Amino acid sequence: MAKVLITGGTRGIGRNLIEKFASNGFDVATCSRNENELNKLIKHVNQKYPSIEFVALQCDVSDKKQITDFANNILKNFGTPDILVNNAGIFLPGTLSTEADNVFEKQINTNLASAYHLTRILLPEMKKRLSGFVFNMCSTASITAYTGSASYCISKFALHGFSKLLREELKNYNIKVCSVMPGATLTSSWDGTSLSKERFIDPAELTDLMYSIYKNSNTMNVEELIVRPHKGDVNDTNYNE
Ligand SMILES: NC(=O)c1ccc[n+]([C@@H]2O[C@H](COP(=O)([O-])OP(=O)(O)OC[C@H]3O[C@@H](n4cnc5c(N)ncnc54)[C@H](OP(=O)(O)O)[C@@H]3O)[C@@H](O)[C@H]2O)c1
């Protein structure tokens, strides 16, 4: 069966993607930092989808050594993924002039460098197959400058740039590349928000759409998937200073 690797799978969009692919019989690998959450996820997936291979490893994707070891471990013990989803990411609010000194590095390392290092290691094996799919979990913050999301926006604009570059490099290898750019999606990233859930994208709806894009891309490459909540962007005052 085809294999999918999704970073950051214990919550939110990554978790929904695991359910979507596992329920369709794909073998799945994932990672995150919290060991307890990983163990709970392993138990859940093994019980619900006993026929698939499921691998969930502890890895802080923002750490170059850890993401490198994870990538090599995947190639050796899980196999070359047919689908890679660079999903793990964090949102730390702030404005350029007032955010703490390490907020930039944290988000660049988690949201951008992780995808760069992981993809670079997997790519030579993926290219040999002349097929495959890479989703890069960008954001509407990859194309819109939101006040109060300074370094987050910078990291997501850069991830979209990485994705566009990858698309060009992989045109002749039949590996599709898609920048997924959702607006506010109801996950733990929004814990504590005062907004009603109607103002958000349902993560299951988003991941259904991603799965459909994967399944229906033979002669075409959906390069950019831009989706916003039905009523448009939210502007949560919790995120403004
Ligand atoms: N929710 C939104 O409104 C929204 C909108 C646009 C784009 N996005 C993007 O979509 C992606 C997923 O977001 P989400 O809302 O689903 O997030 P989430 O609910 O906070 O889940 C994030 C997942 O990534 C893992 N993760 C975070 N930092 C990590 C690290 N350094 N190393 C390994 N795993 C890490 C988390 O587990 P641990 O914390 O245990 O490591 C968790 O499994 C992100 O790239 C985000 O920027 C989200």
Side-chain angles (χ1 to χ4, degrees), residues 13 17 84-87 133-143 152 156 159-160 163 177-183 185 201 206-207 209-211 213 222-227:
I13 296 167
L17 281 169
L84 167 63
V85 189
N86 286 311
N87 169 71
F133 210 116
V134 182
F135 286 105
N136 293 307
M137 194 55 67
C138 301
S139 167
T140 50
S142 295
I143 50 168
Y152 182 75
K156 292 293 182 180
L159 184 64
H160 182 35
S163 193
V177 182
C178 179
S179 287
V180 183
M181 295 188 258
T185 305
I201 295 167
L206 172 64
T207 52
L209 187 54
M210 289 171 66
Y211 184 75
I213 287 173
V222 177
E223 296 178 341
E224 297 179 3
L225 172 65
I226 303 172
V227 286

Short mmCIF file of all heavy atoms in Angstrom, two decimals, residues 13 17 84-87 133-143 152 156 159-160 163 177-183 185 201 206-207 209-211 213 222-227:
data_model
loop_
_atom_site.label_atom_id
_atom_site.label_comp_id
_atom_site.label_asym_id
_atom_site.label_seq_id
_atom_site.Cartn_x
_atom_site.Cartn_y
_atom_site.Cartn_z
N ILE A 13 -4.65 19.58 12.17
CA ILE A 13 -4.72 19.21 10.76
C ILE A 13 -3.97 17.90 10.51
O ILE A 13 -4.46 17.02 9.80
CB ILE A 13 -4.16 20.36 9.88
CG1 ILE A 13 -5.05 21.62 10.03
CG2 ILE A 13 -4.07 19.94 8.41
CD1 ILE A 13 -4.44 22.90 9.48
N LEU A 17 -5.43 14.43 9.00
CA LEU A 17 -4.84 13.78 7.81
C LEU A 17 -4.54 12.31 8.08
O LEU A 17 -4.74 11.46 7.22
CB LEU A 17 -3.56 14.51 7.39
CG LEU A 17 -3.74 15.82 6.62
CD1 LEU A 17 -2.42 16.56 6.51
CD2 LEU A 17 -4.31 15.55 5.21
N LEU A 84 4.39 13.12 1.08
CA LEU A 84 5.00 13.81 2.22
C LEU A 84 4.17 15.04 2.53
O LEU A 84 3.87 15.83 1.63
CB LEU A 84 6.44 14.23 1.85
CG LEU A 84 7.12 15.23 2.79
CD1 LEU A 84 7.31 14.66 4.19
CD2 LEU A 84 8.47 15.67 2.20
N VAL A 85 3.80 15.18 3.81
CA VAL A 85 3.08 16.40 4.22
C VAL A 85 3.93 17.12 5.26
O VAL A 85 4.07 16.65 6.40
CB VAL A 85 1.68 16.09 4.81
CG1 VAL A 85 0.90 17.39 5.00
CG2 VAL A 85 0.89 15.13 3.91
N ASN A 86 4.53 18.23 4.86
CA ASN A 86 5.29 19.07 5.79
C ASN A 86 4.28 19.93 6.54
O ASN A 86 3.92 21.02 6.10
CB ASN A 86 6.29 19.94 5.01
CG ASN A 86 7.47 19.13 4.51
OD1 ASN A 86 8.09 18.38 5.27
ND2 ASN A 86 7.78 19.25 3.24
N ASN A 87 3.81 19.38 7.65
CA ASN A 87 2.68 19.99 8.37
C ASN A 87 3.06 20.64 9.69
O ASN A 87 2.49 21.68 10.05
CB ASN A 87 1.61 18.90 8.63
CG ASN A 87 0.55 19.38 9.60
OD1 ASN A 87 -0.28 20.22 9.28
ND2 ASN A 87 0.59 18.84 10.82
N PHE A 133 3.95 12.90 -4.12
CA PHE A 133 3.19 14.11 -3.82
C PHE A 133 3.79 14.77 -2.58
O PHE A 133 4.08 14.09 -1.59
CB PHE A 133 1.72 13.75 -3.55
CG PHE A 133 0.76 14.84 -3.95
CD1 PHE A 133 -0.16 14.64 -4.96
CD2 PHE A 133 0.78 16.07 -3.31
CE1 PHE A 133 -1.05 15.64 -5.34
CE2 PHE A 133 -0.10 17.08 -3.69
CZ PHE A 133 -1.02 16.86 -4.71
N VAL A 134 3.97 16.07 -2.63
CA VAL A 134 4.41 16.83 -1.45
C VAL A 134 3.40 17.95 -1.18
O VAL A 134 3.15 18.78 -2.06
CB VAL A 134 5.81 17.45 -1.63
CG1 VAL A 134 6.23 18.19 -0.35
CG2 VAL A 134 6.85 16.40 -2.01
N PHE A 135 2.81 17.92 0.01
CA PHE A 135 1.98 19.04 0.46
C PHE A 135 2.82 19.84 1.46
O PHE A 135 3.36 19.26 2.42
CB PHE A 135 0.74 18.54 1.23
CG PHE A 135 -0.34 17.93 0.38
CD1 PHE A 135 -0.52 16.55 0.35
CD2 PHE A 135 -1.21 18.73 -0.36
CE1 PHE A 135 -1.54 15.98 -0.41
CE2 PHE A 135 -2.23 18.17 -1.12
CZ PHE A 135 -2.40 16.79 -1.15
N ASN A 136 2.91 21.14 1.26
CA ASN A 136 3.55 22.01 2.24
C ASN A 136 2.47 22.84 2.92
O ASN A 136 1.74 23.59 2.24
CB ASN A 136 4.58 22.90 1.55
CG ASN A 136 5.75 22.07 1.02
OD1 ASN A 136 6.36 21.30 1.78
ND2 ASN A 136 6.04 22.18 -0.26
N MET A 137 2.37 22.69 4.22
CA MET A 137 1.29 23.36 4.96
C MET A 137 1.67 24.81 5.19
O MET A 137 2.29 25.17 6.21
CB MET A 137 1.04 22.62 6.28
CG MET A 137 -0.26 23.03 6.92
SD MET A 137 -1.71 22.86 5.88
CE MET A 137 -1.78 21.08 5.71
N CYS A 138 1.32 25.63 4.22
CA CYS A 138 1.56 27.06 4.31
C CYS A 138 0.38 27.69 5.06
O CYS A 138 -0.10 27.10 6.03
CB CYS A 138 1.74 27.64 2.91
SG CYS A 138 3.12 26.90 1.99
N SER A 139 -0.11 28.80 4.61
CA SER A 139 -1.17 29.52 5.33
C SER A 139 -1.60 30.69 4.46
O SER A 139 -0.85 31.11 3.56
CB SER A 139 -0.59 30.03 6.66
OG SER A 139 -1.45 30.97 7.26
N THR A 140 -2.77 31.27 4.75
CA THR A 140 -3.06 32.55 4.10
C THR A 140 -2.01 33.58 4.53
O THR A 140 -1.79 34.56 3.84
CB THR A 140 -4.48 33.05 4.44
OG1 THR A 140 -4.65 33.00 5.86
CG2 THR A 140 -5.54 32.21 3.77
N ALA A 141 -1.32 33.30 5.67
CA ALA A 141 -0.20 34.16 6.10
C ALA A 141 1.02 33.98 5.19
O ALA A 141 2.05 34.62 5.40
CB ALA A 141 0.16 33.86 7.55
N SER A 142 0.92 33.12 4.17
CA SER A 142 1.98 33.00 3.15
C SER A 142 1.79 34.02 2.04
O SER A 142 2.69 34.21 1.21
CB SER A 142 1.95 31.60 2.52
OG SER A 142 2.26 30.60 3.45
N ILE A 143 0.60 34.63 2.01
CA ILE A 143 0.30 35.59 0.93
C ILE A 143 -0.31 36.89 1.46
O ILE A 143 -0.57 37.80 0.70
CB ILE A 143 -0.64 34.97 -0.13
CG1 ILE A 143 -1.87 34.33 0.54
CG2 ILE A 143 0.08 33.95 -1.00
CD1 ILE A 143 -2.97 33.95 -0.43
N TYR A 152 5.69 34.73 12.16
CA TYR A 152 4.88 33.64 11.58
C TYR A 152 4.69 33.89 10.09
O TYR A 152 4.92 33.00 9.26
CB TYR A 152 3.54 33.54 12.30
CG TYR A 152 2.65 32.42 11.80
CD1 TYR A 152 2.92 31.09 12.13
CD2 TYR A 152 1.55 32.68 10.97
CE1 TYR A 152 2.10 30.06 11.67
CE2 TYR A 152 0.74 31.65 10.51
CZ TYR A 152 1.02 30.35 10.86
OH TYR A 152 0.22 29.32 10.40
N LYS A 156 6.00 31.65 6.93
CA LYS A 156 5.05 31.03 5.99
C LYS A 156 5.20 31.58 4.57
O LYS A 156 4.99 30.83 3.61
CB LYS A 156 3.61 31.21 6.50
CG LYS A 156 3.30 30.40 7.77
CD LYS A 156 3.33 28.89 7.51
CE LYS A 156 2.98 28.08 8.73
NZ LYS A 156 3.00 26.63 8.51
N LEU A 159 8.05 29.50 3.43
CA LEU A 159 7.67 28.10 3.14
C LEU A 159 6.98 28.02 1.78
O LEU A 159 7.19 27.07 1.02
CB LEU A 159 6.74 27.57 4.25
CG LEU A 159 6.37 26.09 4.11
CD1 LEU A 159 7.59 25.18 4.25
CD2 LEU A 159 5.31 25.69 5.16
N HIS A 160 6.18 29.01 1.46
CA HIS A 160 5.52 29.05 0.15
C HIS A 160 6.58 29.19 -0.96
O HIS A 160 6.50 28.55 -2.02
CB HIS A 160 4.50 30.19 0.12
CG HIS A 160 3.73 30.31 -1.16
ND1 HIS A 160 3.36 29.21 -1.92
CD2 HIS A 160 3.26 31.40 -1.83
CE1 HIS A 160 2.68 29.62 -2.98
NE2 HIS A 160 2.62 30.93 -2.96
N SER A 163 8.11 25.90 -1.45
CA SER A 163 7.16 25.03 -2.15
C SER A 163 7.16 25.32 -3.65
O SER A 163 7.13 24.39 -4.48
CB SER A 163 5.77 25.25 -1.54
OG SER A 163 4.87 24.26 -1.94
N VAL A 177 3.52 18.99 -6.29
CA VAL A 177 3.81 19.82 -5.11
C VAL A 177 2.69 20.84 -4.94
O VAL A 177 2.34 21.54 -5.90
CB VAL A 177 5.15 20.57 -5.26
CG1 VAL A 177 5.44 21.39 -4.00
CG2 VAL A 177 6.29 19.60 -5.52
N CYS A 178 2.16 20.90 -3.75
CA CYS A 178 1.03 21.81 -3.49
C CYS A 178 1.29 22.64 -2.23
O CYS A 178 1.59 22.09 -1.16
CB CYS A 178 -0.25 20.98 -3.32
SG CYS A 178 -1.72 21.97 -2.97
N SER A 179 1.16 23.95 -2.34
CA SER A 179 1.16 24.83 -1.16
C SER A 179 -0.27 24.89 -0.65
O SER A 179 -1.15 25.40 -1.35
CB SER A 179 1.56 26.26 -1.53
OG SER A 179 2.92 26.36 -1.82
N VAL A 180 -0.50 24.39 0.55
CA VAL A 180 -1.84 24.45 1.14
C VAL A 180 -1.90 25.71 1.99
O VAL A 180 -1.09 25.88 2.90
CB VAL A 180 -2.13 23.20 1.99
CG1 VAL A 180 -3.55 23.25 2.55
CG2 VAL A 180 -1.91 21.93 1.18
N MET A 181 -2.84 26.59 1.67
CA MET A 181 -2.89 27.89 2.36
C MET A 181 -4.25 28.11 3.00
O MET A 181 -5.11 28.81 2.44
CB MET A 181 -2.55 28.99 1.37
CG MET A 181 -1.13 28.88 0.85
SD MET A 181 -0.63 30.28 -0.14
CE MET A 181 -0.80 29.60 -1.74
N PRO A 182 -4.45 27.50 4.17
CA PRO A 182 -5.74 27.71 4.84
C PRO A 182 -5.74 29.00 5.67
O PRO A 182 -4.71 29.42 6.19
CB PRO A 182 -5.86 26.49 5.77
CG PRO A 182 -4.49 25.90 5.86
CD PRO A 182 -3.58 26.61 4.91
N GLY A 183 -6.92 29.57 5.80
CA GLY A 183 -7.13 30.59 6.80
C GLY A 183 -7.39 29.90 8.13
O GLY A 183 -7.11 28.70 8.30
N THR A 185 -8.25 27.78 10.99
CA THR A 185 -8.79 26.41 11.02
C THR A 185 -8.87 25.99 12.48
O THR A 185 -7.92 26.21 13.24
CB THR A 185 -7.84 25.48 10.23
OG1 THR A 185 -7.67 26.02 8.90
CG2 THR A 185 -8.38 24.07 10.14
N ILE A 201 -12.53 27.28 9.68
CA ILE A 201 -12.57 26.12 8.80
C ILE A 201 -12.55 24.87 9.68
O ILE A 201 -11.78 24.80 10.65
CB ILE A 201 -11.34 26.12 7.86
CG1 ILE A 201 -11.38 27.32 6.91
CG2 ILE A 201 -11.22 24.80 7.09
CD1 ILE A 201 -10.07 27.58 6.20
N LEU A 206 -11.01 20.47 5.44
CA LEU A 206 -9.75 20.79 4.75
C LEU A 206 -9.01 19.52 4.34
O LEU A 206 -8.52 19.40 3.21
CB LEU A 206 -8.87 21.66 5.66
CG LEU A 206 -7.45 21.93 5.17
CD1 LEU A 206 -7.47 22.75 3.88
CD2 LEU A 206 -6.64 22.66 6.24
N THR A 207 -8.93 18.57 5.24
CA THR A 207 -8.14 17.36 4.93
C THR A 207 -8.86 16.47 3.92
O THR A 207 -8.21 15.78 3.13
CB THR A 207 -7.74 16.60 6.21
OG1 THR A 207 -8.91 16.36 6.99
CG2 THR A 207 -6.78 17.41 7.05
N LEU A 209 -10.44 17.69 1.44
CA LEU A 209 -10.10 18.37 0.18
C LEU A 209 -8.67 18.01 -0.25
O LEU A 209 -8.42 17.73 -1.43
CB LEU A 209 -10.25 19.88 0.38
CG LEU A 209 -10.09 20.79 -0.83
CD1 LEU A 209 -11.03 20.36 -1.97
CD2 LEU A 209 -10.39 22.24 -0.44
N MET A 210 -7.75 17.99 0.69
CA MET A 210 -6.37 17.62 0.35
C MET A 210 -6.31 16.19 -0.18
O MET A 210 -5.61 15.90 -1.15
CB MET A 210 -5.47 17.77 1.59
CG MET A 210 -5.22 19.22 1.99
SD MET A 210 -4.39 19.37 3.58
CE MET A 210 -2.79 18.65 3.24
N TYR A 211 -7.06 15.31 0.46
CA TYR A 211 -7.07 13.91 0.01
C TYR A 211 -7.62 13.82 -1.41
O TYR A 211 -7.08 13.11 -2.26
CB TYR A 211 -7.89 13.05 0.97
CG TYR A 211 -7.87 11.58 0.61
CD1 TYR A 211 -6.73 10.80 0.86
CD2 TYR A 211 -8.97 10.99 -0.02
CE1 TYR A 211 -6.71 9.47 0.51
CE2 TYR A 211 -8.94 9.65 -0.36
CZ TYR A 211 -7.81 8.89 -0.09
OH TYR A 211 -7.77 7.57 -0.45
N ILE A 213 -7.55 16.13 -3.68
CA ILE A 213 -6.54 16.67 -4.61
C ILE A 213 -5.50 15.59 -4.92
O ILE A 213 -5.12 15.36 -6.06
CB ILE A 213 -5.88 17.94 -4.03
CG1 ILE A 213 -6.88 19.10 -4.11
CG2 ILE A 213 -4.59 18.29 -4.76
CD1 ILE A 213 -6.42 20.36 -3.41
N VAL A 222 -2.20 20.75 -8.70
CA VAL A 222 -2.78 21.90 -7.96
C VAL A 222 -1.63 22.54 -7.20
O VAL A 222 -1.13 21.99 -6.22
CB VAL A 222 -3.90 21.45 -7.00
CG1 VAL A 222 -4.44 22.63 -6.20
CG2 VAL A 222 -5.03 20.77 -7.77
N GLU A 223 -1.18 23.68 -7.66
CA GLU A 223 0.02 24.30 -7.08
C GLU A 223 -0.28 25.05 -5.79
O GLU A 223 0.56 25.11 -4.89
CB GLU A 223 0.66 25.24 -8.10
CG GLU A 223 1.15 24.49 -9.34
CD GLU A 223 1.73 25.41 -10.39
OE1 GLU A 223 1.45 26.62 -10.36
OE2 GLU A 223 2.48 24.89 -11.25
N GLU A 224 -1.47 25.63 -5.73
CA GLU A 224 -1.83 26.44 -4.56
C GLU A 224 -3.28 26.16 -4.18
O GLU A 224 -4.16 26.25 -5.03
CB GLU A 224 -1.68 27.94 -4.88
CG GLU A 224 -0.25 28.31 -5.20
CD GLU A 224 -0.09 29.78 -5.56
OE1 GLU A 224 -1.08 30.54 -5.49
OE2 GLU A 224 1.04 30.16 -5.89
N LEU A 225 -3.49 25.84 -2.93
CA LEU A 225 -4.85 25.65 -2.43
C LEU A 225 -5.10 26.73 -1.39
O LEU A 225 -4.54 26.68 -0.29
CB LEU A 225 -4.99 24.25 -1.80
CG LEU A 225 -6.31 23.99 -1.08
CD1 LEU A 225 -7.48 24.01 -2.06
CD2 LEU A 225 -6.27 22.64 -0.36
N ILE A 226 -5.89 27.73 -1.76
CA ILE A 226 -6.18 28.85 -0.84
C ILE A 226 -7.62 28.69 -0.35
O ILE A 226 -8.55 28.71 -1.15
CB ILE A 226 -6.02 30.21 -1.54
CG1 ILE A 226 -4.60 30.34 -2.12
CG2 ILE A 226 -6.31 31.36 -0.57
CD1 ILE A 226 -4.42 31.58 -2.99
N VAL A 227 -7.77 28.50 0.95
CA VAL A 227 -9.13 28.38 1.51
C VAL A 227 -9.23 29.27 2.75
O VAL A 227 -8.32 29.31 3.58
CB VAL A 227 -9.48 26.91 1.88
CG1 VAL A 227 -9.76 26.09 0.65
CG2 VAL A 227 -8.41 26.26 2.73
#
